[in-house]
Amino acid sequence: EGNLNASVWMIIFVIINLIQIIRIINERRKRFIEPKIFDIYESVFSSLTTYEFLSFWKLGIIKSASKDYKIIQNGEKLHSMLLLLNGKVKVQNGNVHIAYLPRGSFMGEMSFVSKKGASADVIADDDVSYIEWTNLELLKIRNSNKIFWTKIQNILLNDLIKKLKRSNN
């Protein structure tokens, strides 16, 4: 009888571990990324696995804006994080031009990170599309998957560093 209890618990232990191994292998398996977003994966999200990237991508909402549309207004508190997919946007403070942002650039991330109002206007320079992740979705990630959240923060940090280097040139 004592050996039967030990055997049952050993079988349960093996089954749980097998399920975990299969889950890990599945998550690390390379996934197909559509060619139209593969460059964004490589240039912005390369620190994520393809599974993590596609899972994160599916949480976003793709939006568009026409030329001269103000996507972000100076002083506005953002309730989401935005990534430019197509087109070009200009960043300006009042009438002072600060920068142009190309495809694959985050918009309003400083406001998102600092939880303060935006420090500049972001205006569509031509017809643009972007993906938006709401604070609610990002909060769910932060609370449920700390390692993944750290990766997202590192991606934002790298984007800020690129922008600082670009502004110094």
Side-chain angles (χ1 to χ4, degrees):
E1 172 124 354
N3 286 341
L4 182 61
N5 281 341
S7 297
V8 169
W9 284 111
M10 184 58 76
I11 290 170
I12 292 171
F13 176 75
V14 168
I15 290 171
I16 289 172
N17 282 320
L18 280 174
I19 291 169
Q20 290 296 332
I21 289 169
I22 291 168
R23 196 183 112 248
I24 290 169
I25 289 171
N26 185 42
E27 286 179 3
R28 292 189 180 174
R29 175 176 61 91
K30 285 214 183 268
R31 308 292 165 109
F32 174 75
I33 299 175
E34 293 179 47
K36 66 181 181 180
I37 60 171
F38 188 75
D39 66 312
I40 289 179
Y41 168 70
E42 282 190 317
S43 62
V44 180
F45 296 98
S46 61
S47 62
L48 302 179
T49 65
T50 54
Y51 175 81
E52 289 171 328
F53 170 69
L54 291 172
S55 297
F56 185 61
W57 192 263
K58 288 176 187 171
L59 295 175
I61 302 163
I62 295 179
K63 296 185 171 185
S64 60
S66 56
K67 182 176 175 57
D68 296 326
Y69 178 76
K70 198 176 284 191
I71 299 168
I72 297 172
Q73 186 161 341
N74 189 354
E76 172 187 15
K77 188 164 187 206
L78 297 181
H79 301 286
S80 58
M81 184 171 70
L82 313 171
L83 178 77
L84 185 61
L85 299 178
N86 291 312
K88 186 171 64 169
V89 297
K90 55 186 169 187
V91 180
Q92 62 186 48
N93 196 345
N95 290 333
V96 178
H97 172 78
I98 299 171
Y100 283 102
L101 299 180
R103 173 177 168 85
S105 297
F106 284 99
M107 301 180 288
E109 75 287 350
M110 293 171 94
S111 173
F112 172 76
V113 170
S114 69
K115 294 181 179 28
K116 295 191 166 89
S119 57
D121 295 324
V122 177
I123 302 166
D125 199 46
D126 48 299
D127 290 346
V128 299
S129 62
Y130 57 94
I131 188 166
E132 176 181 31
W133 293 277
T134 65
N135 285 355
L136 182 63
E137 290 296 335
L138 297 169
L139 185 62
K140 286 179 190 174
I141 292 170
R142 189 181 83 192
N143 292 335
S144 66
N145 192 339
K146 302 286 186 204
I147 294 171
F148 185 64
W149 180 247
T150 301
K151 288 181 179 183
I152 297 298
Q153 287 179 311
N154 285 336
I155 289 167
L156 287 173
L157 180 62
N158 285 333
D159 184 73
L160 285 170
I161 290 169
K162 284 181 196 173
K163 288 176 181 170
L164 283 172
K165 284 181 179 177
R166 211 176 317 144
S167 70
N168 288 335
N169 291 337

